[in-house]
Amino acid sequence: MRSVDAPVANGITVAVVGATGAAGQTTLKILEERKFPVRELRAFASERSVGKSVTFKGDEIPIRRVEAGAFKGVDIAFCSAGSAQAKEYAPLIRKDGAVIVDKSNAFRMDPKVPLVVPEINPGAARRHDGILSCPNCTTIVTVMPLKPLHDAGRLTRVVATSFQAVSGAGVNGIAELREQTLAWAKGEAVAPRHFAHQIAFNLLPQIDAFQPDGYTGEEKKLVDELRKILELPELRVAPTTVRVPVFTCHSIAVNAETERKVTVAEARQVFERFPGLKLWDEPAQQRYPMPIAVEGQDDCFVGRIREDLSHDRALNFWVVGDQLRKGAATNAVQIAELLLPS
Ligand code: A2P
């Protein structure tokens, strides 16, 4: 295993690329919250942000531009500046010797790059060659309950419909929902800029570009990434991904078929025992996971667990996760924790 060599007692040097963005800002927060052993933090963003700064542990950290030599001495670089940037910058970051934990889609399906959810496949992190990928936010929230269900009854088919928050589209998505909501309340015209259509008081059944088969890029990611993480290359997955006017947290309605029947009682048990997953399933008390209740937490929350009325070996459930935290920054920092010398 290639791990980070620096003695952790003194801390390590960490870079955050995309530090001004929604996921980058959350990464700074999580590094602080989890007391990640940071000796030095370097923050990177686009040319536009050079001259600005971000806050880490109360210190103002100046934004740097990504350039040759800027990562010398960096042990781990968290990248959340988008796929094109990840592809462009990875060789330069690697040349300076840093291990990359990338949040984008750039390397996820590369067979040499581990796609890691630490509660599920921590061992994969040992097989890296300098780059580790963090799955798509919707994949992470969906796979958290699927893994214990698979261990209990072997998954054969998954139907997943997502309800995805605007912060999944970054700071522009957050600004657009806020601006459109305010404009609507004032009776002003609502004009889309970042999303293809109005997002306030609307649902957009398109995230990412359409593929020739009619599925979107986001739906394709869910299929491919679930198969890779669960090591089930033949798993049948039917995805629909939808952008909703919610600021934070992705929710997914899942129908999961298994080879062996898993009862509702058994599912509740295996969900409850799985690290990083919490059960909120008390219909009589109207208690179930919702974005506003889950926001700010690292666990994913599962509820509405029911037998499928149309199939005797399938369950329906509802899972919600803060996609900026477990769906992005927390998962990335957990991956980095696996790289620290023990
Ligand atoms: P900037 O704020 O300078 O545009 P989000 O996902 O919330 O939209 O954030 C994207 C992040 O990626 C931001 O920090 C953004 O910086 C950064 N970014 C965008 N383009 C580049 C680039 N070409 N080089 C480095 N960082 C970039």
Side-chain angles (χ1 to χ4, degrees):
M1 170 186 172
R2 290 175 49 177
S3 70
V4 174
D5 300 326
V8 172
N10 304 327
I12 63 169
T13 300
V14 169
V16 176
V17 182
T20 53
Q25 284 285 296
T26 312
T27 302
L28 295 174
K29 210 187 314 176
I30 304 279
L31 285 168
E32 203 171 326
E33 279 179 21
R34 293 178 75 93
K35 301 190 170 40
F36 194 82
V38 180
R39 179 183 54 218
E40 181 196 340
L41 187 112
R42 296 186 202 165
F44 295 85
S46 80
E47 200 67 40
R48 294 179 289 277
S49 297
V50 175
K52 296 184 189 162
S53 62
V54 289
T55 310
F56 180 67
K57 288 190 180 170
D59 292 333
E60 291 297 304
I61 311 287
I63 295 289
R64 307 179 184 213
R65 65 173 59 80
V66 179
E67 57 193 348
F71 292 82
K72 283 224 163 69
V74 171
D75 297 295
I76 296 182
F78 294 96
C79 294
S80 56
S83 275
Q85 286 74 17
K87 283 183 191 149
E88 184 186 340
Y89 298 151
L92 175 157
I93 298 172
R94 290 292 303 129
K95 193 157 178 243
D96 282 348
V99 172
I100 299 172
V101 178
D102 185 48
K103 188 59 209 81
S104 81
N105 191 37
F107 310 108
R108 287 181 190 143
M109 297 315 296
D110 182 331
K112 293 191 299 297
V113 174
L115 185 62
V116 185
V117 178
E119 292 85 348
I120 295 177
N121 58 346
R126 272 186 233 116
R127 298 186 289 272
H128 76 87
D129 193 19
I131 304 178
L132 299 100
S133 272
C134 197
N136 174 265
C137 38
T138 303
T139 306
I140 294 180
V141 180
T142 309
V143 80
M144 287 294 284
L146 284 180
K147 170 64 176 163
L149 200 58
H150 174 64
D151 291 342
R154 285 204 66 78
L155 284 174
T156 51
R157 180 169 183 256
V158 173
V159 182
T161 306
S162 71
F163 303 73
Q164 300 185 211
V166 291
S167 49
V171 291
N172 294 331
I174 301 171
E176 184 130 323
L177 176 58
R178 184 167 291 129
E179 283 160 20
Q180 290 185 356
T181 306
L182 289 172
W184 178 89
K186 288 188 217 151
E188 294 169 0
V190 171
R193 281 185 296 112
H194 183 68
F195 296 114
H197 303 277
Q198 177 179 326
I199 182 64
F201 313 101
N202 198 16
L203 304 175
L204 309 181
Q206 178 195 358
I207 302 177
D208 210 340
F210 281 108
Q211 320 262 308
D213 60 4
Y215 283 86
T216 62
E218 188 81 350
E219 289 162 351
K220 186 87 175 38
K221 285 177 218 164
L222 185 60
V223 177
D224 293 342
E225 295 177 21
L226 284 178
R227 288 173 171 172
K228 181 166 175 176
I229 298 163
L230 293 168
E231 296 182 28
L232 293 172
E234 308 293 330
L235 182 67
R236 289 177 295 155
V237 182
T240 304
T241 59
V242 182
R243 184 76 67 200
V244 300
V246 162
F247 282 109
T248 309
C249 288
H250 289 355
S251 309
I252 299 98
V254 182
N255 176 274
E257 271 179 50
T258 46
E259 207 171 280
R260 188 184 74 75
K261 182 181 173 73
V262 178
T263 63
V264 169
E266 202 181 338
R268 292 173 65 99
Q269 236 177 36
V270 298
F271 288 157
E272 210 158 22
R273 286 186 192 147
F274 197 68
L277 200 58
K278 288 243 161 66
L279 191 66
W280 273 5
D281 196 25
E282 295 164 56
Q285 274 71 52
Q286 296 180 313
R287 202 168 129 80
Y288 31 70
M290 293 179 294
I292 52 168
V294 169
E295 184 174 349
Q297 304 193 61
D298 283 321
D299 292 323
C300 294
F301 292 77
V302 64
R304 302 288 332 274
I305 305 163
R306 294 147 287 155
E307 284 202 8
D308 182 341
L309 298 176
S310 67
H311 193 292
D312 60 0
R313 281 174 289 101
L315 291 174
N316 287 310
F317 57 86
W318 168 255
V319 59
V320 182
D322 184 325
Q323 94 292 346
L324 291 174
R325 294 180 69 101
K326 182 57 188 166
T330 302
N331 199 74
V333 175
Q334 285 176 307
I335 292 174
E337 286 168 353
L338 294 173
L339 303 176
L340 296 174
S342 43

